[in-house]
Amino acid sequence: MSIDPAVKPVIAVDGASKTFGAVRALSEVSFSVARGECVGLVGHNGAGKSTLVNILNGSLTPDAGTIHLEGLAADRYSVVAARASGLRCVFQELSLCPNLTVTENTRIMHSGIKGLGWRRNAAALIRAKLDEIFPGHGIDGGQTVAELSIAERQMVEIATAFSQSDHAVRLVILDEPTSSLDSSLAAQLLAYIRRFVAEGGSVVLISHILSEILTTADRIVVMKDGQVVASGPAAEFSVDTLVGAMGSVVRARDARRVFEAGAEGGPVLQQRALGNAEAMDFVAYRGEILGLAGLGGHGQTRTLVSLFMNAGGDWRGRRQTKIAFVAGDRHVDGNLPLWSTLKNLTLTLLPDLTRLGLIDRRKEASVAGNWRERMEIRTNDLGNPILSLSGGNQQKVLFARALATTAPVVLMDDPMRGVDIGTKQEVYHMLRVEADKGRTFVWYSTEMDEVCQCDRVYVFREGRIVAELTGEDVTEERVLAASFAGGAA
Amino acid sequence: MAAIKAMLAKPWIWSFVAAAGVWMVTILFTAGASTLGLTQAALTFAAFSIIVGLGQMFVITLGPGNVDLSIPSTMTLAGTVALKLMDTNNGLIAVGILVTLAVGVTVGIGNYTLIKLLRIPPIIATLSSSFIIQSTAIWYNRGIRIKPPRVLAEFTTASTLGIPNVAWLALAISIVAWVLLERGIYGRWVSAIGQNMRAARLAGVPVDGVRVATYVLCAVLAALAGFLLSCFSGGAALNMGAEYLLTSIAVVVIGGTAVAGGFANVPGIWGASLFLFLVVSMLNTYGASAGVRLFLTGVIIIAVIIAASRRLGEGSSTS
């Protein structure tokens, strides 16, 4: 590796390998992070990024290879040793206790806060860090985590990792930190990372949003099939070369369709705005990709859920369902954790696979096998539990659950969290093809790039639709302007 | 070896191991003299627990908080009403069966109405409805014991091919329940709701329909068990369902169904029902006093649950 030998790395693994049963998750990976450096780590779902992170933070022991901490060999490396040497992790699977308050969660991660007044000290610690990273966050330390939106939970988790009590924070590993954050929050975080690094801290940033990696990281490491396949200064990469290194090609964006209201018959879905005169009604037409934009947590998810619930289906299962839902917050809205991947995938389609109340299991297996190929779901057996899949692959299963049906309307609640760019592009294309066939997609996304793919966009603010953008007007600037207009930015 | 390992990973195996163990110990004590009698009695009495246990199993699988406490009173009401209507007349048996089913359907819909409309937790809803149901039974025939029609009395106490008729009935119901659970869309839906009700609803599962069907199924099975039990024991008694409150829950738990919901299994209900009956008869055979009997029953049940749950934990961590 091309690291200046004079600069001692904060942490270095050399020749690390790890296998789980028959799956080789990591093979002879060497990876290091220097002081004052932000390393970007990219790769497909299941490329081995999370395994590498778990080796770095001490929760997995590699089958072969060594770990050096601050240049010293760490023989008995562990989570405790990693934490004591100033390493922090923010996981893709959020790890806060939902029944405790923000302050109490802070105290759990910082065992140094002790004695009378711990609550006050913990509250001050987390508030200061939240204010520093996400000015204007609006999170109260007394709220329980369950009351927070998924974006707010992620903000708390990030702030907890960066805040300092007994041990100095030297290295923070961020696994998909922006996947639930909207663009303005993501920008705040990325700016903070640069400040942290400038002050001598180190960061490992994992993201599927390549523009973030390119602008924020000093050096980029690309992983594929458990190996490092490319590594170099960020300036030497572009989106195209990164995607190429991961083993995909950049697809030309499919042409957007310009819609005229009612051109293809009446609306397929509508909901009147409640009470307020400023708000606009929600209307979706046949064959369009309708985006829901705006800052995260401004009522987009609530709107999607109420559209779904109002479509009925509480009492009777239906063949050829009229509406399907793709969950984004997969632990709360999507996964059935005791089940196999197969059963999770076919749940919505089940009435169509059933005769006289009995499931046609051969047909079920063939539908699921077909969708595993189409979505490139990485698991060697669809009978494996859903939770054994990586986060991005779980998300693909939820996508397949909805797309496998013939539902003319598909509601999507920021479904691409943690999905790699290759699959994303496949799905974007699939959406466009399906929309051309007459399906309607209602798509809430926190990623501006996805919003800009939509034919038409409703911008949400404080629970209401405040603007509608169509065709060429769907641009980042317009969406941002509408998200903030009138309100305090 | 692999086959044995696979068997040991089944959550229901422990209830059968325990039942077989207790059976052997009892037989040994009497030097084999009681083999046939004990087996027949076990199958007969277990049959009633199995029928109510299957209903409770589906309800518990609906997820945390779901349990039907109205099973005993439903049994009493169904037995009382059916026997009074039939009035020992063999020609009215069909009417009796229809009335039994109607009692079950009414109770089930009533229970879910309380749960849904008044938003009462199921445990409170079914507890309060059980008082109403029990009072209805008392009011209906003032505790007068009416004999079952002769044909029914003979049928429920007789055996076919050496197996008690009620056990055959329980077997038939169990097979239907197994098909519903393992091969039917209904079982999938129940399991999905038990794991995450919101996720199930957003995946298109008709949550209300499945839940009401489950409470109705449970109440119908309880009514049927009450009907059979009152025919078997020569008449309906007001307290005849009492012991089935805890039994119905215990057989579900011992049988390896997840108490937190989302996972159920039918064979375990059989193992657990046989086991519960055999433990009591074993202790009786050994001449234990009532206090010792209850104490040991508790200890043995705890031991079996620990054995079963440990296996289950290991199984899931290696997969």
Side-chain angles (χ1 to χ4, degrees), chain B residues 174-197:
Chain B
S174 300
I175 291 171
V176 172
W178 184 87
V179 171
L180 277 180
L181 179 70
E182 305 284 345
R183 295 286 181 266
I185 193 168
Y186 168 74
R188 280 286 176 90
W189 279 343
V190 169
S191 166
I193 294 170
Q195 293 173 65
N196 184 338
M197 190 153 88

Side-chain angles (χ1 to χ4, degrees), chain A residues 14-82:
Chain A
D14 201 30
S17 298
K18 183 79 193 172
T19 52
F20 299 106
V23 183
R24 196 166 176 79
L26 218 56
S27 71
E28 296 183 19
V29 168
S30 296
F31 180 84
S32 68
V33 188
R35 221 175 102 77
E37 182 183 42
C38 174
V39 179
L41 185 57
V42 297
H44 285 307
N45 298 133
K49 303 183 301 288
S50 296
T51 309
L52 177 60
V53 167
N54 282 326
I55 284 175
L56 290 176
N57 72 21
S59 50
L60 281 179
T61 312
D63 301 331
T66 55
I67 301 180
H68 290 262
L69 247 180
E70 298 275 343
L72 298 166
D75 290 340
R76 297 187 62 79
Y77 195 67
S78 67
V79 176
V80 178

Side-chain angles (χ1 to χ4, degrees), chain A residues 214-294:
Chain A
L214 286 165
T215 55
T216 311
D218 301 301
R219 193 159 58 83
I220 297 179
V221 173
V222 182
M223 290 188 71
K224 188 187 166 195
D225 301 331
Q227 290 176 307
V228 171
V229 291
S231 168
E236 291 176 7
F237 287 101
S238 66
V239 170
D240 289 9
T241 57
L242 269 184
V243 172
M246 287 192 280
S248 303
V249 283
V250 177
R251 246 179 201 286
R253 185 177 285 188
D254 296 293
R256 178 188 281 140
R257 284 212 285 176
V258 180
F259 256 82
E260 285 157 42
E264 301 207 18
V268 290
L269 198 61
Q270 53 185 332
Q271 184 163 296
R272 296 194 67 81
L274 289 173
N276 200 294
E278 278 177 61
M280 303 170 71
D281 293 346
F282 174 97
V283 187
Y285 297 97
R286 185 172 179 276
E288 75 171 339
I289 300 181
L290 173 58
L292 306 186

Side-chain angles (χ1 to χ4, degrees), chain B residues 63-97:
Chain B
N66 284 288
V67 66
D68 188 347
L69 299 186
S70 66
I71 285 177
S73 55
T74 308
M75 291 173 75
T76 305
L77 181 64
T80 312
V81 175
L83 260 56
K84 186 171 178 186
L85 279 179
M86 290 188 292
D87 199 19
T88 72
N89 186 343
N90 285 333
L92 291 174
I93 290 175
V95 176
I97 293 174

